[in-house]
Amino acid sequence: MYAISTVTQTTQRAVCMLLSVAIVSISLAFGAYGVQKMEHLGYTVSVTQLQ
């Protein structure tokens, strides 16, 4: 029973990790696409560091 539980936990962790990687990758891709789209519309994006 312990072996089945361990395999299930390992599988669950692997699936969660793959889903996390997919979600982050998709989010970054859409973010980059949005910035690229704004560049073509004449908008600018600047980052200012406050001290």
Side-chain angles (χ1 to χ4, degrees):
M1 190 67 168
Y2 175 75
I4 294 173
S5 176
T6 303
V7 169
T8 303
Q9 288 177 354
T10 303
T11 304
Q12 183 180 12
R13 286 184 186 145
V15 169
C16 287
M17 184 63 71
L18 289 174
L19 284 174
S20 298
V21 168
I23 290 170
V24 170
S25 298
I26 291 169
S27 299
L28 289 174
F30 278 123
Y33 177 74
V35 169
Q36 183 183 17
K37 198 76 164 153
M38 283 192 300
E39 283 179 352
H40 294 296
L41 295 175
Y43 294 106
T44 58
V45 177
S46 61
V47 178
T48 305
Q49 181 178 1
L50 301 175
Q51 294 181 359

